[in-house]
Amino acid sequence: ETVRAAFPDDGFVGEELGATGPAERTWLIDPLCGTRNFAAQTQQVAVNVALRAPAPGQPEGWAVRVAACADPFTDEIFWTDGERVLLRHAGQDTPVKPSGASALVDINLDDLRHQQTTVRMLALPAFAQAFRPRVVASSLALAWVAVGRRAAYLSGPNPYDGDPRTNVHFAAGLALCAAAGCVVTGLRGHSLDTTSHGLIAAADPATHAALVAIAEEAGVADD
Protein backbone atom coordinates (compact mmCIF):
# COMPACT_ATOMS: atom_id res chain seq x y z
CA GLU A 1 0.00 0.00 0.00
CA THR A 2 2.87 2.36 0.78
CA VAL A 3 4.59 1.77 -2.55
CA ARG A 4 1.34 1.92 -4.51
CA ALA A 5 0.48 5.27 -2.93
CA ALA A 6 3.89 6.69 -3.78
CA PHE A 7 4.13 5.21 -7.30
CA PRO A 8 0.60 4.55 -8.60
CA ASP A 9 1.78 3.91 -12.17
CA ASP A 10 4.22 1.15 -11.23
CA GLY A 11 3.46 -2.53 -11.67
CA PHE A 12 3.64 -5.29 -9.07
CA VAL A 13 4.53 -8.97 -9.05
CA GLY A 14 3.90 -10.80 -5.80
CA GLU A 15 4.08 -14.47 -4.91
CA GLU A 16 0.61 -14.38 -3.37
CA LEU A 17 -0.58 -11.15 -4.97
CA GLY A 18 -0.16 -12.20 -8.57
CA ALA A 19 0.82 -9.61 -11.18
CA THR A 20 -0.61 -6.34 -12.42
CA GLY A 21 -0.52 -5.33 -16.05
CA PRO A 22 2.73 -4.38 -17.83
CA ALA A 23 4.48 -1.27 -16.56
CA GLU A 24 7.79 0.47 -17.14
CA ARG A 25 8.78 -0.17 -13.52
CA THR A 26 7.79 -3.28 -11.59
CA TRP A 27 8.03 -4.06 -7.88
CA LEU A 28 8.92 -7.67 -7.05
CA ILE A 29 7.44 -8.69 -3.70
CA ASP A 30 7.77 -11.85 -1.63
CA PRO A 31 5.86 -11.12 1.59
CA LEU A 32 7.21 -14.18 3.41
CA CYS A 33 10.18 -16.13 2.10
CA GLY A 34 10.59 -19.21 4.28
CA THR A 35 6.92 -20.06 4.75
CA ARG A 36 7.61 -23.55 6.08
CA ASN A 37 10.12 -22.15 8.56
CA PHE A 38 7.55 -19.65 9.75
CA ALA A 39 4.85 -22.31 10.08
CA ALA A 40 7.22 -24.42 12.18
CA GLN A 41 8.08 -21.42 14.37
CA THR A 42 11.63 -21.32 13.03
CA GLN A 43 12.83 -17.73 12.96
CA GLN A 44 14.61 -17.75 9.60
CA VAL A 45 12.34 -15.91 7.19
CA ALA A 46 12.51 -12.77 5.09
CA VAL A 47 10.29 -10.13 3.58
CA ASN A 48 11.67 -9.17 0.15
CA VAL A 49 10.95 -6.10 -1.96
CA ALA A 50 12.87 -5.10 -5.11
CA LEU A 51 12.32 -2.69 -7.98
CA ARG A 52 13.01 -3.64 -11.60
CA ALA A 53 13.44 -0.46 -13.63
CA PRO A 54 14.71 0.52 -17.10
CA ALA A 55 18.50 0.86 -17.29
CA PRO A 56 19.58 1.71 -20.84
CA GLY A 57 23.27 1.18 -20.06
CA GLN A 58 22.74 -2.43 -19.00
CA PRO A 59 22.90 -5.37 -21.48
CA GLU A 60 19.34 -6.42 -20.65
CA GLY A 61 18.01 -2.85 -20.72
CA TRP A 62 16.83 -3.16 -17.11
CA ALA A 63 18.29 -3.48 -13.64
CA VAL A 64 17.21 -4.27 -10.10
CA ARG A 65 19.07 -1.74 -7.99
CA VAL A 66 16.66 -0.67 -5.27
CA ALA A 67 15.89 -3.54 -2.89
CA ALA A 68 15.28 -4.42 0.73
CA CYS A 69 15.29 -7.68 2.65
CA ALA A 70 13.77 -7.54 6.12
CA ASP A 71 14.19 -9.99 8.98
CA PRO A 72 11.01 -9.52 11.05
CA PHE A 73 12.39 -11.42 14.04
CA THR A 74 15.63 -9.47 14.48
CA ASP A 75 14.10 -6.17 13.31
CA GLU A 76 16.90 -5.83 10.74
CA ILE A 77 16.49 -4.43 7.24
CA PHE A 78 19.21 -5.02 4.67
CA TRP A 79 18.80 -2.49 1.87
CA THR A 80 20.51 -1.04 -1.17
CA ASP A 81 20.12 1.91 -3.48
CA GLY A 82 22.30 0.18 -6.06
CA GLU A 83 25.55 1.78 -4.92
CA ARG A 84 25.84 0.73 -1.29
CA VAL A 85 24.45 -1.84 1.12
CA LEU A 86 23.35 -0.84 4.59
CA LEU A 87 21.92 -2.59 7.62
CA ARG A 88 19.12 -0.72 9.38
CA HIS A 89 18.50 -1.63 13.01
CA ALA A 90 16.93 0.42 15.79
CA GLY A 91 16.61 3.35 13.39
CA GLN A 92 20.32 3.41 12.52
CA ASP A 93 21.88 2.60 9.15
CA THR A 94 25.30 0.95 9.20
CA PRO A 95 27.42 0.32 6.08
CA VAL A 96 28.28 -3.36 5.63
CA LYS A 97 30.45 -5.39 3.29
CA PRO A 98 30.86 -9.05 2.29
CA SER A 99 33.54 -11.36 3.66
CA GLY A 100 34.45 -14.99 3.12
CA ALA A 101 36.13 -15.26 6.51
CA SER A 102 33.39 -17.32 8.16
CA ALA A 103 33.69 -20.13 5.55
CA LEU A 104 29.96 -20.73 6.14
CA VAL A 105 28.03 -21.63 2.99
CA ASP A 106 24.25 -21.78 2.96
CA ILE A 107 22.83 -24.52 0.74
CA ASN A 108 19.37 -24.46 -0.76
CA LEU A 109 18.00 -27.95 -0.11
CA ASP A 110 14.35 -26.96 -0.12
CA ASP A 111 13.48 -29.19 -3.09
CA LEU A 112 15.93 -32.08 -3.40
CA ARG A 113 14.67 -32.95 -6.89
CA HIS A 114 16.48 -29.85 -8.15
CA GLN A 115 19.47 -29.91 -5.80
CA GLN A 116 21.44 -32.99 -6.80
CA THR A 117 24.55 -30.99 -7.67
CA THR A 118 24.62 -29.22 -4.32
CA VAL A 119 24.09 -32.52 -2.50
CA ARG A 120 27.06 -34.01 -4.34
CA MET A 121 29.14 -30.93 -3.53
CA LEU A 122 28.60 -31.48 0.18
CA ALA A 123 30.05 -34.99 -0.07
CA LEU A 124 33.33 -33.93 -1.67
CA PRO A 125 36.53 -33.65 0.43
CA ALA A 126 37.31 -30.29 -1.18
CA PHE A 127 34.11 -28.81 0.24
CA ALA A 128 34.73 -30.16 3.74
CA GLN A 129 38.29 -28.87 3.71
CA ALA A 130 37.35 -25.30 2.82
CA PHE A 131 33.77 -24.68 3.95
CA ARG A 132 31.10 -25.45 6.53
CA PRO A 133 27.56 -26.00 5.24
CA ARG A 134 24.40 -24.44 6.65
CA VAL A 135 20.77 -24.75 5.56
CA VAL A 136 18.42 -21.80 5.92
CA ALA A 137 15.79 -22.47 3.22
CA SER A 138 15.11 -18.75 2.90
CA SER A 139 16.55 -16.01 0.70
CA LEU A 140 17.62 -14.33 3.95
CA ALA A 141 20.87 -16.22 3.35
CA LEU A 142 21.62 -14.03 0.31
CA ALA A 143 21.40 -10.93 2.48
CA TRP A 144 23.81 -12.58 4.92
CA VAL A 145 26.33 -13.05 2.10
CA ALA A 146 26.06 -9.37 1.20
CA VAL A 147 26.76 -8.25 4.77
CA GLY A 148 29.53 -10.70 5.63
CA ARG A 149 27.69 -13.25 7.75
CA ARG A 150 28.06 -16.00 5.17
CA ALA A 151 30.85 -16.76 2.71
CA ALA A 152 28.44 -17.92 0.02
CA TYR A 153 25.02 -19.23 -0.95
CA LEU A 154 24.43 -22.19 -3.28
CA SER A 155 21.36 -23.37 -5.15
CA GLY A 156 21.05 -25.99 -7.84
CA PRO A 157 18.78 -25.62 -10.86
CA ASN A 158 15.31 -24.94 -9.53
CA PRO A 159 11.72 -25.03 -10.78
CA TYR A 160 11.22 -21.25 -11.03
CA ASP A 161 11.17 -20.03 -14.63
CA GLY A 162 13.26 -17.20 -16.00
CA ASP A 163 16.01 -14.98 -14.67
CA PRO A 164 16.42 -15.31 -10.87
CA ARG A 165 17.35 -11.62 -10.70
CA THR A 166 13.70 -10.82 -11.42
CA ASN A 167 12.17 -13.66 -9.42
CA VAL A 168 10.32 -12.58 -6.28
CA HIS A 169 12.24 -15.13 -4.19
CA PHE A 170 15.73 -14.03 -5.23
CA ALA A 171 15.57 -10.48 -6.65
CA ALA A 172 16.11 -8.55 -3.43
CA GLY A 173 18.92 -10.75 -2.12
CA LEU A 174 20.72 -10.83 -5.46
CA ALA A 175 20.47 -7.05 -5.76
CA LEU A 176 22.06 -6.74 -2.34
CA CYS A 177 24.88 -9.09 -3.36
CA ALA A 178 25.47 -7.19 -6.60
CA ALA A 179 25.64 -3.82 -4.85
CA ALA A 180 27.99 -5.24 -2.22
CA GLY A 181 30.43 -6.45 -4.89
CA CYS A 182 29.84 -10.16 -4.42
CA VAL A 183 30.48 -12.60 -7.27
CA VAL A 184 27.15 -13.96 -8.51
CA THR A 185 26.97 -16.55 -11.30
CA GLY A 186 25.54 -19.90 -12.24
CA LEU A 187 27.15 -23.03 -10.81
CA ARG A 188 29.57 -23.27 -13.73
CA GLY A 189 30.64 -19.65 -13.35
CA HIS A 190 28.65 -18.36 -16.31
CA SER A 191 26.30 -15.41 -16.42
CA LEU A 192 23.19 -15.64 -14.29
CA ASP A 193 20.34 -15.35 -16.76
CA THR A 194 18.31 -18.49 -16.13
CA THR A 195 17.50 -20.62 -13.11
CA SER A 196 18.53 -23.74 -15.02
CA HIS A 197 22.15 -22.72 -14.42
CA GLY A 198 21.84 -22.87 -10.65
CA LEU A 199 23.30 -20.15 -8.47
CA ILE A 200 26.48 -19.21 -6.62
CA ALA A 201 26.57 -15.97 -4.66
CA ALA A 202 30.05 -15.65 -3.17
CA ALA A 203 31.53 -12.97 -0.95
CA ASP A 204 34.76 -12.72 -2.94
CA PRO A 205 36.50 -14.09 -6.06
CA ALA A 206 38.53 -16.70 -4.16
CA THR A 207 35.44 -18.20 -2.53
CA HIS A 208 33.63 -18.16 -5.85
CA ALA A 209 36.47 -19.88 -7.71
CA ALA A 210 36.69 -22.62 -5.08
CA LEU A 211 32.97 -23.31 -5.25
CA VAL A 212 32.88 -23.37 -9.06
CA ALA A 213 35.70 -25.94 -9.01
CA ILE A 214 33.81 -28.05 -6.47
CA ALA A 215 30.61 -27.81 -8.55
CA GLU A 216 32.51 -29.01 -11.62
CA GLU A 217 33.95 -31.92 -9.65
CA ALA A 218 30.45 -32.76 -8.46
CA GLY A 219 29.26 -33.02 -12.07
CA VAL A 220 27.26 -29.84 -12.52
CA ALA A 221 27.11 -30.57 -16.25
CA ASP A 222 24.85 -33.53 -15.47
CA ASP A 223 22.11 -31.08 -14.42
Side-chain angles (χ1 to χ4, degrees):
E1 291 177 355
T2 299
V3 174
R4 191 186 301 277
F7 305 105
D9 295 328
D10 288 1
F12 293 84
V13 175
E15 185 175 19
E16 287 82 17
L17 302 173
T20 62
E24 187 176 44
R25 304 183 347 146
T26 302
W27 294 88
L28 309 167
I29 302 171
D30 188 355
L32 184 62
C33 186
T35 308
R36 290 184 178 87
N37 285 349
F38 184 78
Q41 301 181 31
T42 300
Q43 297 184 356
Q44 291 179 338
V45 302
V47 180
N48 296 317
V49 180
L51 173 64
R52 171 178 168 165
Q58 298 297 315
E60 299 88 350
W62 55 264
V64 177
R65 291 199 178 99
V66 178
C69 176
D71 183 336
F73 290 105
T74 63
D75 195 28
E76 295 176 316
I77 300 175
F78 310 92
W79 67 274
T80 182
D81 57 7
E83 298 180 358
R84 54 188 180 153
V85 177
L86 296 103
L87 169 59
R88 179 170 296 177
H89 182 65
Q92 299 293 319
D93 285 323
T94 303
V96 289
K97 60 182 181 180
S99 170
S102 72
L104 299 177
V105 177
D106 267 307
I107 316 290
N108 177 13
L109 297 179
D110 193 49
D111 189 335
L112 289 176
R113 294 173 299 172
H114 304 279
Q115 301 298 331
Q116 294 307 304
T117 295
T118 51
V119 170
R120 291 193 295 269
M121 290 175 70
L122 291 175
L124 292 175
F127 188 95
Q129 290 166 6
F131 302 109
R132 296 293 179 268
R134 297 292 185 271
V135 177
V136 170
S138 163
S139 60
L140 183 62
L142 284 167
W144 289 348
V145 174
V147 305
R149 296 180 185 177
R150 292 290 190 271
Y153 171 88
L154 293 175
S155 178
N158 64 69
Y160 303 118
D161 292 330
D163 191 326
R165 294 170 298 176
T166 58
N167 181 283
V168 295
H169 298 280
F170 296 115
L174 290 176
L176 289 167
C177 288
C182 300
V183 184
V184 181
T185 70
L187 286 175
R188 298 182 207 173
H190 42 49
S191 62
L192 189 65
D193 56 7
T194 170
T195 50
S196 65
H197 291 168
L199 170 64
I200 294 177
D204 52 57
T207 299
H208 176 263
L211 289 170
V212 168
I214 293 169
E216 291 176 350
E217 184 181 354
V220 65
D222 296 340
D223 294 324

